[in-house]
């Protein structure tokens, strides 16, 4: 039975291998400190945080997130450790809330690896505080217990660490905040929560599965907005806290009806706030009945939403989260099996009577056999989940609309210029090393809320080693052109304009589809003069639109102002850029997306190293993608390193030229 703790209350822990689960509704930082018998933290090496997430017996999340799950193995802690404090803090410098009084009350639960809740605590009465010690696990007379603490700090992370006894608290807090900012820059941002749902926080994981302590199952929550994208973009949180779409692995909740409720939460109103109430959204298609003993057959669009495109979008996000969580469960189970085998082998070696002879050999063989059984058990559950996800992917991929589909999809053969802006577009595919052939479409919300940086420098995986510098730059520009072509293709005629800066004229071959079709707003700008002209024009547009919005006079914009969304592709940065142009570029990256001016950089960061930390905010403001496979992106739930592959047209295909030709023809008809 779960113990619902109040501040100061304690509860015995029935096991030593546990999970700490945190839900807060908004992205927060989760960490932990190790304390001795007096509760003193001996140094920064006893603090687990996003910049240094691993300690003996403890691993925390690498990212700020609305939901956290991290494992604690009390038996693996150093002998001198008598206390583990769970710390929560709001990230700084990322545009989020600055006090806990502005977010939902954080909920913390201690569970077994099978998801069984041992104790929980909802941290209330927080106002000005931006950091809090949520729980502490402590050992007294060789018995471990959990205590609800709820001690908040208005001075933030530094004040909390200083109270833990760390003399270098300020420096450590700065390192943690820097690691969080870098992590959020590489995180794939999920869709924003639906309106009216921001304050609701899950109080327990639903649908956890597994087979004993060795194979905890995924929780299977998938963020799924059920309203169309807003006209004016808003900055999404680092992770979503919305209701889950249907899950292929059986670990997610089924979609609720328009007047139904979701397991673990209150009733949900799916009515659009700006739409006259009519009929409820069309229910997703029913899955065909399964044979006895067989899993339900997946169908495309098996998620909540007002339209088929929205249901497919939610379904893809559900698959993404399910794969992240089931992989985390498998990896955790393997880590547990490894830790258990090491402990058993250590006990054998510590006993002189069993070091040699048949007794020692038998003990070692038994430890290895137990390890094999645990890993095999975990792999069986993992393979079952992967098979379900692969089956779902097999029916979802062919059903995706052009904005979500790969360039090799037959859907492009019947392409027509759309009348409405889609809710997202595909940037590429994501996969994990355990099943590289299982690829999840990487969908980015529209309108774009963040610029893109196509990294033409070195990559961290083998794909980057296959291309020399010149080839890598060509591939990077090919990637940028493919993304620009997709953006032009998914917007209605006349509602998206592309500008190109190519100072040295080195991207002529890559830009051919855009230039030859006439799809871009003008010839690529070359030289320093061309750079200055384009930067001045777009900066002025941002200024004018901002002034019109702030003054409530949007109808007073100059008649010759292009009101379409604008995309600026910058190749070979910083070539051709002086200090003034660099300043304007940073301005566009920060202020442009809110008024429809977007940036796509094709650059090697090493080429701009002379600017030093001045450009750090620019790189962080952009989502880094690569022209070759690279495992640099992180999911917003667990923080796995996902391998990203760009969405490129097949070699020798004319699909880009055909699609862009239709875009240009539709634009001409629209202007008549």
């Amino acid at each position: 039975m779960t113990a619902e703790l109040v501040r100061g209350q304690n509860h015995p822990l029935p096991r030593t291998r546990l999970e700490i689960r945190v839900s807060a509704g908004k992205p927060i930082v989760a960490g932990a400190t190790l304390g001795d018998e007096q509760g003193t933290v001996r140094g920064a090496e006893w603090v687990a945080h996003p910049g240094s997430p691993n300690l003996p017996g403890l691993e925390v999340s690498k990212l700020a997130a609305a939901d956290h799950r991290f494992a604690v193995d009390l038996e693996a802690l150093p002998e001198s450790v008598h206390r583990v404090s769970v710390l929560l803090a709001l990230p700084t410098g990322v545009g989020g809330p600055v006090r806990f009084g502005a977010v939902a009350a954080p909920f913390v639960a201690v569970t077994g690896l099978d998801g069984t809740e041992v104790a929980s605590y909802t941290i209330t009465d927080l106002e000005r505080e931006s950091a809090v010690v949520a729980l502490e696990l402590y050992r007294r007379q060789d018995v471990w217990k959990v205590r609800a603490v709820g001690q908040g700090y208005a001075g933030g992370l530094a004040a909390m660490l200083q109270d833990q006894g760390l003399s270098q608290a300020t420096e450590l807090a700065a390192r943690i905040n820097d690691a969080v900012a870098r992590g959020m820059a590489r995180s794939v941002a999920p869709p924003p929560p639906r309106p009216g749902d921001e304050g609701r926080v899950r109080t327990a994981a639903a649908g956890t599965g597994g087979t004993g302590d060795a194979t905890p199952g995924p929780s299977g929550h998938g963020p799924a907005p059920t309203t169309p994208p807003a006209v004016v973009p808003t900055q999404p949180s680092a992770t979503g806290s919305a209701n889950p779409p249907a899950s292929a692995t059986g670990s997610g909740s089924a979609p609720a009806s328009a007047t139904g409720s979701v397991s673990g939460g209150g009733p949900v109103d799916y009515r659009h706030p700006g739409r006259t109430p009519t009929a409820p959204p069309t229910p997703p298609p029913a899955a065909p009945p399964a044979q006895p003993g067989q899993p339900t057959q997946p169908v495309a669009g098996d998620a909540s939403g007002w339209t088929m495109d929205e249901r497919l979008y939610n379904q893809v996000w559900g698959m993404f989260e399910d794969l992240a969580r089931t992989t985390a469960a498998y990896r955790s189970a393997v880590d547990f099996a490894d830790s258990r085998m090491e402990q058993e082998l250590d006990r054998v070696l510590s006993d002189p009577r069993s070091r040699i002879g048949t007794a020692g050999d038998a003990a070692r063989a038994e430890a290895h056999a137990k390890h094999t059984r645990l890993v095999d058990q975990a792999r069986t559950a993992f393979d079952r989940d992967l098979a379900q996800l692969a089956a779902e992917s097999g029916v979802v991929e062919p059903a995706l609309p052009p904005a979500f589909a790969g360039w090799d999809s037959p859907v492009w053969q019947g392409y027509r210029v759309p009348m409405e802006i889609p809710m997202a577009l595909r940037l590429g595919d994501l996969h994990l090393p355990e099943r590289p052939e299982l690829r999840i479409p990487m969908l980015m919300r529209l309108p774009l809320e963040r610029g893109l940086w196509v990294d033409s420098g070195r990559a961290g995986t083998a794909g980057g080693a296959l291309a020399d510098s010149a080839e890598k730059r060509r591939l990077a520009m090919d990637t940028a052109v493919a993304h620009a072509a997709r953006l032009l293709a998914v917007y209605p005629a006349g509602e998206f304009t592309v500008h190109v800066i190519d100072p040295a004229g080195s991207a002529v071959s890559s830009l051919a589809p855009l230039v030859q079709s006439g799809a871009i707003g003008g010839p690529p700008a070359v030289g320093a003069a061309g750079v200055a002209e384009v930067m001045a024009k777009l900066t002025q547009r941002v200024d004018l639109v901002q002034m019109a919005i702030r003054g409530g006079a949007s109808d007073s914009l100059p008649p010759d102002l292009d009101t379409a969304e604008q995309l600026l592709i910058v190749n070979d940065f910083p070539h051709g850029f002086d200090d003034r142009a660099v300043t304007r570029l940073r301005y566009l990256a920060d202020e442009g997306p809110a008024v429809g001016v977007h940036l796509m950089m094709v650059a090697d960061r090493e080429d701009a190293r002379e600017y030093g930390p001045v450009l750090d905010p620019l790189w962080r403001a952009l989502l880094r993608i690569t022209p070759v496979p690279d495992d640099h992106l992180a999911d917003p739930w667990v923080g796995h390193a996902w391998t990203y592959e760009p969405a490129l047209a097949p070699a020798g295909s004319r699909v880009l030229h055909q699609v862009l030709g239709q875009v240009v023809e539709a634009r001409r008809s629209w202007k008549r």
Side-chain angles (χ1 to χ4, degrees), residues 544-570:
L544 289 172
V545 176
Q546 281 186 337
M547 287 189 291
I549 292 174
R550 290 167 183 166
S554 57
D555 56 348
S556 64
L557 289 169
D560 60 342
L561 184 76
D562 185 1
T563 57
E565 297 275 313
Q566 309 285 311
L567 174 69
L568 173 61
I569 302 176
V570 178

Side-chain angles (χ1 to χ4, degrees), residues 54-148:
N54 298 304
L55 290 178
L58 179 65
E59 181 177 4
V60 302
S61 305
K62 299 177 182 178
L63 301 172
D67 298 288
H68 291 272
R69 292 174 61 177
F70 54 89
V72 180
D73 186 352
L74 299 175
E75 288 185 352
L77 295 173
E79 284 293 328
S80 55
V81 172
H82 288 256
R83 184 177 303 178
V84 179
S85 298
V86 178
L87 316 178
L88 308 178
L90 293 171
T92 60
V94 294
V98 296
R99 59 185 184 89
F100 274 110
V103 303
F107 173 83
V108 189
V110 180
T111 74
L113 293 183
D114 58 357
T116 303
E117 225 172 71
V118 176
S120 65
Y121 174 41
T122 301
I123 310 172
T124 57
D125 301 326
L126 295 177
E127 288 295 336
R128 297 182 298 108
E129 297 87 348
S130 58
V132 61
V133 178
L135 298 174
E136 65 177 14
L137 314 179
Y138 65 97
R139 179 169 57 186
R140 182 163 298 168
Q141 297 178 349
D142 293 329
V143 176
W144 282 95
K145 297 182 179 182
V146 57
R147 176 187 290 120

Side-chain angles (χ1 to χ4, degrees), residues 298-300 312 315 390-400:
V299 294
L312 287 167
Q315 190 170 12
E392 186 173 16
S393 177
V395 299
V396 168
E397 187 70 44
L400 295 177

Side-chain angles (χ1 to χ4, degrees), residues 425-430 440-443 483 644-648:
L425 87 162
R426 187 173 188 154
L427 286 182
D429 295 329
L430 298 169
I440 305 294
M442 179 180 169
L443 303 181
H483 292 325
Y644 165 82
E645 292 191 31
L648 300 176

Side-chain angles (χ1 to χ4, degrees), residues 25 47 50 115 142 186 219 231 270 300 347 356 406 439 457 522 561 563 619:
V47 182
D142 293 329
R186 60 184 281 267
S219 65
V231 175
Y270 284 106
R347 283 196 291 269
I356 57 176
R439 296 165 185 265
L561 184 76
T563 57
W619 304 120

Side-chain angles (χ1 to χ4, degrees), residues 149-163:
V149 180
Q151 175 63 54
Y153 296 85
L157 188 58
M160 179 170 60
L161 293 172
Q162 189 172 13
D163 196 43

